[in-house]
Amino acid sequence: MESFFGWREIQETWTTQYASQGELAKKALCAFFDPNRLFSRGATITLYKALNTSTGVFQVVISEETCGHLHSMLADLMQRIDSRLPLPEMPVPLAVYKDAVAFEVQEKRKFQNLFKSVKKLNAQRERLLNAKKSWRMARELTQSGQHVLCSIDIEAWEQDHSVLLEIGWTLYDSKTNRYKDQHYLINSYRHLRNGRYVDDMKLRFCFGTSVWCTLDQALAELKKDLDWCVQRDGGFVLVGHGMDSDLMYLKKAKFMWPGPPGQQDVLDIQQSAIVATLNTDIIYGASIDNLHNPPSLGRTLTLLDIDHWYLHNAGNDAHYTMVLLMALVAKLNETND
């Protein structure tokens, strides 16, 4: 197997070695690795993008042959500066790499772009790892019998998103394995309907009876259910599919989340009694190893062969989001992860 050396590790090895050899040596080493000078004379360096098998992190690496060539160049440079300077140490390969892809680099821009692409790959990897942790957390929270999970959905008027037409939520009690669905319609906007850009389904709630009331009354009912969760269990688990907009709507409505036991209610959900947030769009991405452009709730349900009716009704969306979460947990159990 071919040995590879991490570019950054090579720099660190020689930087450490010459750090105590005077300013001239340190400046010369800095200039040696400067991309403007490295490629100033038409030099081509074969760099690789490879996966470190120990850390799972992508790195820019070079072959043993290229490392030897750079070593000879640096040794010649240091001897020309001052023959009393020590020869550069030969770096030792610190890891085993796989999936190496070669890039012939002749200029600074390509050199920098390669490092940027590796940084982006590692960021994507980190996001996927976190998503898989969330997936496993979803299994633990649904099966531990310790908390109530609450999925929330809000439907706004398509012509003015500051106007909230419906709010729905579903509670799943992991202690009793029971569900509770709620759907509230805001009576001050009874005359407003969607339908131009978003399907009008506000009168199509499938899991109970819709209640007409004011926005304040609807939010008070949501608060009452969350308060009960906190009183019994010390916190609640929030579930949603692309829930950023729903949280924004609640914040603009000045909804006060229950604080931790014995503490005041708070506007900032991060300071509330929330135990965890489970995003089904992210968890679905984890299940297919692809977080790019997550599908809508309806599309995700279809992809998992989950029957569903009358989406874009806040109560139905909340219910099916919880159903989706359970299906994703079942899928994780099938993998034996």
Side-chain angles (χ1 to χ4, degrees):
M1 181 181 292
E2 186 176 4
S3 294
F4 290 100
F5 298 77
W7 184 268
R8 298 299 190 199
E9 284 80 359
I10 293 171
Q11 278 188 280
E12 291 173 6
T13 295
W14 291 336
T15 297
T16 300
Q17 180 184 359
Y18 287 104
S20 60
Q21 298 299 321
E23 287 300 316
L24 199 57
K26 287 194 290 185
K27 288 181 180 179
L29 184 65
C30 184
F32 181 78
F33 281 107
D34 182 349
N36 287 314
R37 298 194 181 189
L38 202 57
F39 303 104
S40 62
R41 297 180 180 178
T44 297
I45 299 178
T46 303
L47 299 174
Y48 295 82
K49 186 191 308 181
L51 184 68
N52 185 317
T53 59
S54 298
T55 64
V57 172
F58 287 94
Q59 292 180 233
V60 175
V61 301
I62 58 176
S63 67
E64 189 172 10
E65 180 182 354
T66 301
C67 184
H69 181 59
L70 288 176
H71 178 270
S72 298
M73 291 173 59
L74 182 60
D76 180 62
L77 173 63
M78 291 303 180
Q79 288 299 295
R80 282 190 280 112
I81 291 173
D82 188 339
S83 60
R84 294 170 298 178
L85 287 172
L87 293 175
E89 300 170 1
M90 189 63 189
V92 176
L94 300 177
V96 176
Y97 298 91
K98 68 175 184 178
D99 302 333
V101 179
F103 295 85
E104 301 296 323
V105 180
Q106 304 94 4
E107 59 178 1
K108 174 184 177 180
R109 181 178 58 83
K110 290 185 178 179
F111 179 82
Q112 293 175 329
N113 286 344
L114 178 58
F115 278 91
K116 287 179 181 178
S117 69
V118 166
K119 184 177 180 180
K120 184 177 180 180
L121 270 177
N122 285 327
Q124 292 171 345
R125 168 189 166 275
E126 188 67 23
R127 285 181 61 229
L128 186 58
L129 287 175
N130 289 335
K132 288 183 179 293
K133 287 179 183 177
S134 183
W135 193 13
R136 290 190 291 271
M137 182 188 297
R139 176 172 61 184
E140 179 183 344
L141 290 169
T142 55
Q143 298 178 355
S144 65
Q146 295 182 355
H147 295 97
V148 173
L149 287 74
C150 178
S151 58
I152 300 175
D153 186 78
I154 295 174
E155 293 295 317
W157 189 35
E158 60 190 6
Q159 298 183 46
D160 182 354
H161 287 185
S162 68
V163 175
L164 306 186
L165 302 180
E166 318 165 48
I167 179 168
W169 62 92
T170 294
L171 301 178
Y172 170 70
D173 189 343
S174 67
K175 288 186 176 182
T176 62
N177 195 31
R178 296 178 65 182
Y179 291 83
K180 174 184 176 182
D181 295 290
Q182 299 276 56
H183 181 231
Y184 289 85
L185 297 159
I186 310 309
N187 56 20
S188 54
Y189 302 121
R190 188 186 291 257
H191 61 292
L192 298 180
R193 308 290 289 261
N194 288 330
R196 181 180 299 179
Y197 308 113
V198 178
D199 291 339
D200 176 22
M201 295 293 173
K202 72 179 184 177
L203 300 181
R204 297 278 191 163
F205 182 44
C206 299
F207 304 102
T209 302
S210 300
V211 177
W212 288 96
C213 63
T214 66
L215 177 60
D216 286 345
Q217 288 172 327
L219 294 179
E221 291 301 315
L222 172 60
K223 178 65 164 47
K224 189 186 302 181
D225 279 349
L226 293 176
D227 282 340
W228 177 81
C229 299
V230 175
Q231 289 166 9
R232 194 192 74 171
D233 304 325
F236 61 92
V237 178
L238 189 64
V239 181
H241 192 91
M243 71 173 80
D244 287 349
S245 60
D246 300 305
L247 294 178
M248 179 191 69
Y249 293 147
L250 289 172
K251 188 172 184 178
K252 287 186 176 179
K254 300 190 184 309
F255 178 71
M256 299 297 288
W257 299 91
Q263 298 185 30
Q264 294 183 340
D265 298 337
V266 293
L267 184 62
D268 183 359
I269 189 172
Q270 299 304 324
Q271 298 178 15
S272 73
I274 191 168
V275 174
T277 301
L278 301 175
N279 292 281
T280 51
D281 51 330
I282 293 175
I283 294 174
Y284 173 75
S287 75
I288 61 170
D289 290 324
N290 185 357
L291 296 177
H292 178 67
N293 195 22
S296 66
L297 174 61
R299 177 60 180 157
T300 308
L301 292 166
T302 298
L303 289 168
L304 293 180
D305 293 323
I306 298 172
D307 291 337
H308 53 281
W309 293 269
Y310 307 125
L311 296 182
H312 296 296
N313 172 288
N316 295 342
D317 284 8
H319 178 90
Y320 285 121
T321 297
M322 192 68 75
V323 171
L324 172 58
L325 180 70
M326 297 304 174
L328 290 167
V329 168
K331 184 177 180 181
L332 179 60
N333 288 334
E334 292 171 2
T335 68
N336 295 317
D337 188 344

